[in-house]
Amino acid sequence: MNPTEKALWFVESHLPDAISLDDVAQSSGVSRFHVTRAFGAATGRSVMGYMRARRLSEAARKLAGGARDILAVALDAGYGSHEAFTRAFRDQFGTTPELVRAEGSTSNLDLVEPILMDQTFLSKLEPPRFETSRPFLIAGLGERYSCETSAGIPMQWQRFGPYIGNIPGEIAGVAYGVCVNGDDAGNFDYVAGVEVSDFSELPKEFFRVRVPAQKYAVFSHREHISTIRRTVNTIWNKWLPASGHEIADAPEFERYGPEFDPRSGNGGLEIWVPVKG
């Protein structure tokens, strides 16, 4: 297992949190020295430098969007004072938070985007089982992504976490990551959500997805969550063309059962790919 993949997933999943290099190393299953060297060799960045740049980049987006309270943005980015935040912000971007907020744009800033995780093929993909889903409803937080920005999905799950257990009509025990509304340019909506009994009393910011009765090829992903891109890439670019199956026009989703640990990223999940019957 590549410790850099785990480190990238952990950092993006806990971006607003006060995490240390020890936390990153523990999540990667290696020593501080090992994860530092591995991460540097793979990305050209230090672990903590990458995390700092990502936090400041997200802070810059908030400021350009008109955030009223710079201190609140600073605290969310892990800085204890306006002064410390301004100093780090200037070091990163060569300008001040006040100027970015006044200009309302990040076009002149060299923002650091999430680094994409490994996209190579699996040497052996476990054969899928085929199952026809019952119709059900999923509700949660949604974001629009492109292929280049999809590495931000772990942070979306981090934002959704506090809602779990407090959603009207929630059916507990399983979470879903649903891909819908894909276009020819590779853009798609991703919904981090749970099953609900109905849509009537949901928070207004929630996305709503109806999953129809549909035949699915169901793949088990038993490794760490950080390697899911490799499994998905293998399914779509290796297994599917050789299988003789055609994709159906229905939601594709990840199913996270009770065995999945969102803190560590271990426990496994299922990838449900809609196919024509």
Side-chain angles (χ1 to χ4, degrees), residues 65-81:
R68 293 185 179 181
D69 189 347
I70 292 180
L71 179 58
V73 175
L75 293 173
D76 286 344
Y79 293 87
S81 69

Side-chain angles (χ1 to χ4, degrees), residues 25-41:
Q26 184 177 12
S27 76
S28 302
V30 296
S31 68
R32 288 165 53 102
F33 174 78
H34 189 151
V35 76
T36 299
R37 290 294 297 272
F39 195 93

Side-chain angles (χ1 to χ4, degrees), residues 173-174 221-222 255-262 264-270:
V174 179
H221 177 85
R222 304 185 191 278
R255 183 184 185 278
Y256 299 87
E259 66 280 357
F260 180 74
D261 179 359
S264 69
N266 293 315
L269 60 120
E270 291 180 340

Side-chain angles (χ1 to χ4, degrees), residues 4 14 18 53 72 74-75 92-93 134 158 161 168 178 201 264 273 277:
T4 298
H14 302 84
L75 293 173
Q92 183 71 33
F93 300 119
R134 57 181 173 78
Q158 198 276 338
V178 189
E201 298 181 10
S264 69
V273 178

Side-chain angles (χ1 to χ4, degrees), residues 215-258:
K215 182 179 179 181
Y216 281 89
V218 183
F219 296 85
S220 294
H221 177 85
R222 304 185 191 278
E223 298 182 2
H224 189 269
I225 182 63
S226 67
T227 64
I228 189 172
R229 288 181 63 86
R230 185 164 33 187
T231 300
V232 171
N233 189 38
T234 305
I235 292 168
W236 284 86
N237 289 300
K238 189 175 181 181
W239 178 84
L240 192 59
S243 70
H245 292 283
E246 292 184 52
I247 291 298
D249 185 12
E252 173 200 354
F253 57 86
E254 303 142 15
R255 183 184 185 278
Y256 299 87

